[in-house]
Amino acid sequence: MANGQWFPPEWPERIRALAEGTLTPVTPKRAATVMLLRDDGGAPAVHMLRRRASMEFAGGAYAYPGGGVDPRDHDLRIGWAGPMRAWWAQRLGVDETSAQAIVCAAVRETYEEAGVLLAGPAPDTVVGDTTGADWEADRAALVAREVSFAEFLERRGLVLRSDLLGAWTRWITPEFEPRRYDTWFFVAALPEGQRTRNASTEADSTVWIRPAEAAAAYDKGELLMMPPTIATLRQLIGCATAAEALKAAPGRDLTPVLATARLEDGRIELSWPGHDEFTKHIPTGQAPA
């Protein structure tokens, strides 16, 4: 391939089945992912994970910390700082309880996979170092879903800092995928005193990299990424600082990006609205190239 764009090899067959009406789309699960930023000599760097090559899905691809929404975080009331749940509901296009769960997922997954916690003992504070044994035990319990994030915050006496997040974009996995996610992408700045680490069981390495450098490596085929990842990296290139990215987030369009596929003249056309670089024309019987 000319660049680092990754496609599952089974897509052509599934696209044909969808077009022929023999494939019923699965309902996407809600998820959140966070582009964690830190200032790095005149431009922000973003924290990225490389998925293990042994992973069945997107092995070797670079991504951000993220994962699915925990249904338990819909109803439990938690300590909350920043914009109210009603504001987040309007911003994310969901009801208030769903908005709470999505924001919780963003903060929880950043802690689970990068060891960074966007929460503090008061509305204007953030915890410091979270690398101690007691913190690691709590993180492991969250990963195992032994406790909900709401329960973790309550036990620790912490307030979730929703003001440290900015909703950036929203992508929905194509209808022909067997595993589908409705994913909100957020931006956040690395809190002072905290540091990232590879805490994910799904990643074999992590890197801090400037978006422009990551995009250039993708264009050369050196870094493997899925369309939402490289698209968001390109969108971050114009931001001079992490604070600038956070300031820009509230004005960004959160209309979901959903790939479309159609059969025409013996080939499949695969496209993402507003993202022409990902358009593919695939002869039937072949994988995307």
Side-chain angles (χ1 to χ4, degrees):
M1 58 188 162
N3 56 30
Q5 189 171 352
W6 182 87
F7 288 101
E10 68 272 15
W11 269 13
E13 180 180 349
R14 296 187 64 85
I15 290 171
R16 285 194 296 273
L18 180 67
E20 294 166 357
T22 59
L23 177 67
T24 301
V26 300
T27 301
K29 298 178 180 180
R30 286 174 170 169
T33 189
V34 177
M35 298 177 284
L36 191 63
L37 305 173
R38 72 178 185 189
D39 292 332
D40 181 23
V46 61
H47 180 69
M48 303 191 75
L49 317 173
R50 186 178 68 183
R51 292 173 59 83
R52 294 184 183 277
S54 59
M55 295 292 292
E56 181 180 352
F57 182 78
Y62 282 77
Y64 313 114
V69 167
D70 186 343
R72 295 175 295 180
D73 290 330
H74 280 83
D75 302 321
L76 295 175
R77 303 300 289 182
I78 64 175
W80 188 277
M84 300 297 289
R85 293 167 180 80
W87 183 92
W88 278 108
Q90 183 176 21
R91 178 72 181 120
L92 302 179
V94 297
D95 58 73
E96 289 189 31
T97 57
S98 295
Q100 173 177 293
I102 292 165
V103 172
C104 278
V107 177
R108 186 196 72 243
E109 289 290 338
T110 305
Y111 181 49
E112 287 184 4
E113 298 195 341
V116 171
L117 183 58
L118 304 177
D124 58 350
T125 63
V126 181
V127 297
D129 185 14
T130 61
T131 59
D134 58 335
W135 284 104
E136 179 58 24
D138 282 347
R139 193 196 64 80
L142 285 168
V143 171
R145 297 297 181 262
E146 295 170 358
V147 297
S148 70
F149 191 62
E151 293 167 337
F152 160 74
L153 292 176
E154 182 179 13
R155 188 175 67 79
R156 282 274 181 180
L158 297 175
V159 176
L160 183 149
R161 292 287 305 276
S162 79
D163 55 320
L164 299 181
L165 285 170
W168 190 261
T169 190
R170 179 181 177 185
W171 287 64
I172 300 178
T173 309
E175 292 183 331
F176 44 81
E177 270 280 35
R179 290 174 293 188
R180 301 186 64 211
Y181 296 94
D182 183 353
T183 305
W184 283 262
F185 287 69
F186 294 85
V187 290
L190 178 68
E192 184 176 353
Q194 294 192 38
R195 61 182 186 271
T196 58
R197 66 185 191 276
N198 183 11
S200 173
T201 59
E202 297 181 355
D204 59 15
S205 66
T206 65
V207 64
W208 281 100
I209 188 170
R210 293 182 179 183
E213 295 173 358
Y218 165 89
D219 290 336
K220 296 175 183 177
E222 297 171 354
L223 295 186
L224 195 66
M225 300 180 203
M226 296 191 71
T229 309
I230 181 58
T232 49
L233 282 171
R234 295 200 197 283
Q235 292 161 356
L236 288 170
I237 289 175
C239 298
T241 64
E244 186 175 309
L246 281 163
K247 184 178 180 180
R252 289 190 50 81
D253 183 10
L254 291 187
T255 301
V257 179
L258 175 63
T260 60
R262 62 175 183 169
L263 288 171
E264 184 176 346
D265 298 328
R267 64 179 184 175
I268 298 167
E269 181 182 274
L270 178 61
S271 62
W272 279 259
H275 299 273
D276 292 342
E277 73 166 296
F278 305 130
T279 298
K280 293 290 182 183
H281 295 92
I282 313 160
T284 56
Q286 295 185 21

